[in-house]
Amino acid sequence: MHSAVFLIEFGAIILGLGLLGRVAGRLKFSPIPLYLLAGLAFGEGGLLPLPASEEFVAIGAEIGVILLLLMLGLEYTASDLVSNLKTQYPAGLVDFTLNALPGAAAALLMGWGPVAAVVLAGVTWISSSGVIAKVMGDLGRLGNRETPVILSILVLEDLAMAVYLPIITALLAGVSLAAGSATLAIALGVAGAVLFVAVRYGRLISRFVSSDDPEKLLLVVLGLTLLVAGIAQQLQVSAAVGAFLVGIALSGEVAEGTHTLLSPLRDLFAAVFFVFFGLHTDPASIPPVLLPALALAFVTALTKVATGCWAAKRAGVGVKGRWRAGGTLVARGEFSIVIAGLAVTAGIEPEMGPLATAYVLILVVIGPLTARYTEPVAAWISKRRSSDGPRPDTAPPPAKAPGAVPDQDPAGRA
């Protein structure tokens, strides 16, 4: 009987997600806000709670995060990653400064304390790699000059999670400074070791994984990814970061074949992930934090635009490309929810989950719009400013130097 209820509930969830995805596709919009709203509707305090499928949805949500980062890692080679780290790290520092500080300041202003400030700083800092990659593909910008700048910032953010997540895990657990330092050292050592193996032995790993049979390739890559992610998490490193580094290690035909095979699975479990977060948020808890979420979203949307413009200018990208880069980085998503979820699980601040949900919901809706319209809006504002000045046809003629010959028309008349 229990299994029948589970199948009914989970089947209804998947069917509902598919219908929501169709609606989003017709509206040319990201389906993530609709997934979050679906979770809110059928979770705690919602219209119809779904307790039978809760445990499976939780596991599926964790797999969704792992697959999102694996697929992102497949977009890069190890040499690209190292090159990006060497040339774009100043952009990463600017990104952290401009976007983490507003979150930390907001938490302190609301009286949540230093630990919550560190957590909310991460929520406002990290852009959504999944949403941004989808938006750039939909807008046909993957070949634009600003795209490598955007991807470099996303990679730096994802790698920074290898340092950040162990820190907040230790803070949330309330461990001592010595234990926290040991945890961070282990996390950095594991991340460094996996990165070294990915750079040095990526071809051997790709050769080991490679198979002409799609079934065998799928099983080996998925099994390897889950294994590495689990070991990384056991050693206090983010499972998602472990999956990302596995994607970095794979290259060539293996990466292409893996991307084709795992894309449907990623879409399925990623949708389950966003639903899972909504399921664990009471809709009644969002209205009290809506105004702070709107204010924080407004400020950090501006800081992300500034980050993208600065990084693109530093890379020699033109003015239009700078605005496009800034607008594209606005969306927040999966990592922001993961970070807030850690705080909610640890019981640090009950309003953290609702605030993060409202914040992500706002920016995941606004993000595709800023990506599309920031550059034309900036051009329109610039045009309006120039039109407010003196018009060329009404400006006084320049003064002539003494003894100068009068201007002549093409016929030679003065």
Side-chain angles (χ1 to χ4, degrees):
M1 181 65 181
H2 184 276
S3 61
V5 175
F6 162 74
L7 291 174
I8 292 171
E9 286 188 4
F10 193 66
I13 290 173
I14 300 301
L15 176 60
L17 292 177
L19 296 176
L20 291 174
R22 284 188 178 184
V23 172
R26 290 188 177 182
L27 296 176
K28 297 182 179 179
F29 204 71
S30 170
I32 294 174
L34 300 182
Y35 296 159
L36 283 169
L37 289 173
L40 289 171
F42 295 99
E44 299 176 5
L47 300 175
L48 181 64
L50 304 174
S53 57
E54 183 176 350
E55 185 176 353
F56 185 83
V57 169
I59 296 172
E62 194 165 353
I63 294 174
V65 178
I66 290 171
L67 290 179
L68 278 170
L69 271 295
L70 169 67
M71 300 296 281
L72 181 65
L74 291 174
E75 300 293 332
Y76 305 93
T77 64
S79 59
D80 290 339
L81 178 64
V82 173
S83 175
N84 286 333
L85 289 175
K86 289 180 179 178
T87 59
Q88 296 293 339
Y89 72 90
L93 295 175
V94 170
D95 179 37
F96 169 76
T97 303
L98 291 182
N99 297 287
L101 290 181
L108 294 175
L109 287 173
M110 289 186 287
W112 287 359
V115 175
V118 175
V119 174
L120 194 57
V123 171
T124 59
W125 171 22
I126 305 299
S127 297
S128 171
S129 302
V131 173
I132 290 171
K134 187 177 189 308
V135 167
M136 288 193 298
D138 292 344
L139 296 177
R141 295 180 180 175
L142 294 177
N144 286 14
R145 282 200 64 194
E146 73 273 7
T147 298
V149 175
I150 297 170
L151 295 179
S152 297
I153 292 174
L154 295 179
V155 170
L156 288 165
E157 288 180 350
D158 292 336
L159 289 179
M161 289 294 97
V163 177
Y164 175 80
L165 289 176
I167 291 175
I168 64 166
T169 301
L171 289 174
L172 293 172
V175 300
S176 65
L177 179 62
S181 301
T183 299
L184 178 58
I186 293 172
L188 291 176
V190 172
V194 176
L195 182 59
F196 173 78
V197 170
V199 173
R200 191 70 179 269
Y201 302 106
R203 291 185 179 180
L204 293 176
I205 296 173
S206 296
R207 194 177 306 165
F208 167 75
V209 170
S210 179
S211 174
D212 294 331
D213 188 338
E215 178 184 352
K216 295 183 177 65
L217 179 62
L218 172 64
L219 293 175
V220 171
V221 172
L222 185 58
L224 177 64
T225 303
L226 294 176
L227 178 64
V228 172
I231 294 173
Q233 188 160 307
Q234 189 69 24
L235 295 172
Q236 303 301 315
V237 181
S238 165
V241 172
F244 174 75
L245 294 175
V246 170
I248 291 290
L250 301 179
S251 60
E253 294 182 1
V254 173
E256 294 176 6
T258 300
H259 191 281
T260 302
L261 290 172
L262 287 181
S263 290
L265 278 179
R266 175 203 58 189
D267 295 339
L268 168 63
F269 286 107
V272 170
F273 165 70
F274 289 109
V275 169
F276 171 74
F277 191 80
L279 287 174
H280 285 73
T281 303
D282 187 350
S285 64
I286 290 182
V289 298
L290 188 57
L291 285 179
L294 283 168
L296 197 57
F298 176 76
V299 171
T300 54
L302 294 179
T303 54
K304 274 293 182 183
V305 172
T307 299
C309 287
W310 184 88
K313 181 179 180 180
R314 182 176 176 272
V317 178
V319 175
K320 291 183 178 181
R322 297 172 199 171
W323 286 110
R324 287 195 297 266
T328 302
L329 287 169
V330 166
R332 310 305 202 273
E334 57 274 8
F335 257 134
S336 297
I337 294 179
V338 169
I339 294 166
L342 291 174
V344 172
T345 303
I348 294 298
E349 181 56 53
E351 290 185 341
M352 180 72 73
L355 178 66
T357 301
Y359 174 78
V360 169
L361 194 60
I362 292 166
L363 287 183
V364 90
V365 170
I366 293 176
L369 299 177
T370 58
R372 183 185 295 268
Y373 296 114
T374 298
E375 183 262 319
V377 168
W380 179 79
I381 293 173
S382 177
K383 185 177 180 181
R384 284 294 300 270
R385 284 181 177 176
S386 62
S387 66
D388 289 339
R391 298 180 53 135
D393 55 345
T394 59
K400 298 291 184 180
V405 177
D407 291 336
Q408 294 183 334
D409 61 15
R413 295 185 296 269

